[in-house]
Amino acid sequence: MTTTPSDVGDPVLAAGSTVRARRGAGLFLALASGALFGTSGTFGDGLLRSGWSPGAAVLARIVVAALTLTPFALPRLRRQRAALRRNARQVLGYGLIGVLGCTFCYFYSIASIPVGIGLLLEYTAAFMVVMWLWLRHGQRPRALTIGGTAAAIGGLAVMAGVTGAGGLNPAGLAWGLGAAVCMTVFMFICESPPSPAAPEELAGSPGSPPEELSPVMLTWTGLCVAAVTLAAAGAAGAVPMAATTAPVSFLGHPVSWIWPVLAVGALSTGAAFITAVAAVRALGAKLATFLGMSEVLFSVAFAALMLSQVPTATQFAGGALILLGCALVRADER
């Protein structure tokens, strides 16, 4: 689009340009988060198969993620200490529900049901987000959102092969739905505005508002809360903790357990959660949740590239439905 001299300095056009740039960045971050989360099945499944309990695998994943982010978080800690105090509830909710609850429920789910079914159950969070916005905030879904929800969840069902998945473990189904509830809460926690600054903070920084709690700080502190909580539960015997140093099967070859743990912690957890927070802040909970379904598409792509598991025609059809659903919801957001 060409810019005329009268456009220069126009606050309305400038604001529109900023919003478009923010949403464009949000779309990229949401897809990046889906890609990063999509690697978790490739890296984490081998640990469970080699004898790790879900609790031990989740704890290792969270601890490694927190350690990976520590060098980036510590320089921000001093200047964001006040923001941490103001947003203590958000940090606790993020750590206990978003990180620990969602990851814990998902890992326990796929320990007894297929990974595809676990992902399908987890991403019914998209439906839960739409319903919550309607029932709690009066945002009745329009035709595009209804169609997008049906297409996306239908695509997940097709990709997961639900029609042939009879006799599923009831406990696994319950854990999967628990993961969906936790994901729904996580999205709204990330979307919620920061707590207002205290008068003394405003007095200490005249002319500029206090710094917002960054995605890095929110993720790092949430991971620390989750790690301490799960470690305490394991020490008390409430959560079984079993790990082994036996080699893990990866790409058809035995590798040291260290590599999958580092990968699932640094990439599939630390980087994935940071980009997810930034995406929700830019796009809102509804659109970010739908775009999060790209995790399934990336999981299939990684399986094809790394495990030579070529997608079937049915999976391609399911992927097309997911993309259609996301496109409809995106169009409804404009």
Side-chain angles (χ1 to χ4, degrees):
M1 182 182 71
T2 58
T3 303
T4 64
S6 60
D7 293 335
V8 179
D10 189 321
V12 175
L13 291 177
S17 177
T18 301
V19 170
R20 285 193 297 272
R22 179 180 176 85
R23 293 184 73 81
L27 290 171
F28 171 79
L29 289 166
L31 293 175
S33 177
L36 290 164
F37 277 124
T39 63
S40 63
T42 303
F43 296 129
D45 187 59
L47 293 174
L48 297 179
R49 292 181 181 275
S50 67
W52 287 60
S53 68
V58 171
L59 180 59
R61 177 179 184 174
I62 294 173
V63 169
V64 169
L67 292 175
T68 302
L69 295 182
T70 297
F72 304 97
L74 288 181
R76 296 174 169 84
L77 182 59
R78 183 172 183 179
R79 71 170 183 265
Q80 294 217 311
R81 194 169 298 164
L84 281 172
R85 288 196 298 268
R86 280 189 280 110
N87 295 280
R89 289 185 180 180
Q90 186 184 34
V91 169
L92 288 174
Y94 183 98
L96 296 178
I97 300 175
V99 175
L100 182 55
C102 195
T103 308
F104 192 79
C105 287
Y106 174 69
F107 265 64
Y108 265 90
S109 173
I110 64 173
S112 55
I113 63 176
V115 172
I117 306 299
L119 282 172
L120 169 63
L121 292 170
E122 183 179 24
Y123 277 103
T124 56
F127 172 76
M128 295 180 184
V129 167
V130 171
M131 293 304 298
W132 178 257
L133 290 173
W134 182 10
L135 297 175
R136 180 67 176 82
H137 300 284
Q139 298 180 19
R140 184 173 182 174
R142 293 175 292 203
L144 285 176
T145 292
I146 294 173
T149 303
I153 293 182
L156 281 172
V158 169
M159 292 195 74
V162 172
T163 54
L168 291 175
N169 187 309
L173 295 175
W175 283 115
L177 290 174
V181 173
C182 290
M183 178 183 283
T184 302
V185 176
F186 166 76
M187 290 295 178
F188 287 114
I189 288 174
C190 296
E191 187 186 42
S192 62
S195 301
E200 57 269 20
E201 291 181 62
L202 294 173
S205 55
S208 60
E211 189 176 5
E212 182 183 3
L213 194 61
S214 69
V216 171
M217 283 301 298
L218 179 59
T219 300
W220 180 68
T221 51
L223 287 167
C224 291
V225 168
V228 171
T229 303
L230 184 54
V239 178
M241 293 287 178
T244 176
T245 58
V248 175
S249 177
F250 182 69
L251 299 180
H253 302 283
V255 300
S256 170
W257 63 273
I258 295 175
W259 300 114
V261 167
L262 290 177
V264 79
L267 297 177
S268 308
T269 308
F273 273 107
I274 288 176
T275 49
V277 173
V280 174
R281 288 182 177 180
L283 301 174
K286 184 172 74 172
L287 182 55
T289 305
F290 276 89
L291 291 173
M293 291 184 185
S294 63
E295 175 185 348
V296 183
L297 305 181
F298 284 113
S299 295
V300 172
F302 289 137
L305 292 173
M306 304 173 71
L307 304 177
S308 299
Q309 297 177 0
V310 180
T312 64
T314 301
Q315 287 179 313
F316 275 116
L321 283 173
I322 293 174
L323 293 175
L324 174 61
C326 292
L328 291 174
V329 174
R330 172 74 177 94
D332 199 22
E333 290 283 292
R334 291 180 177 178

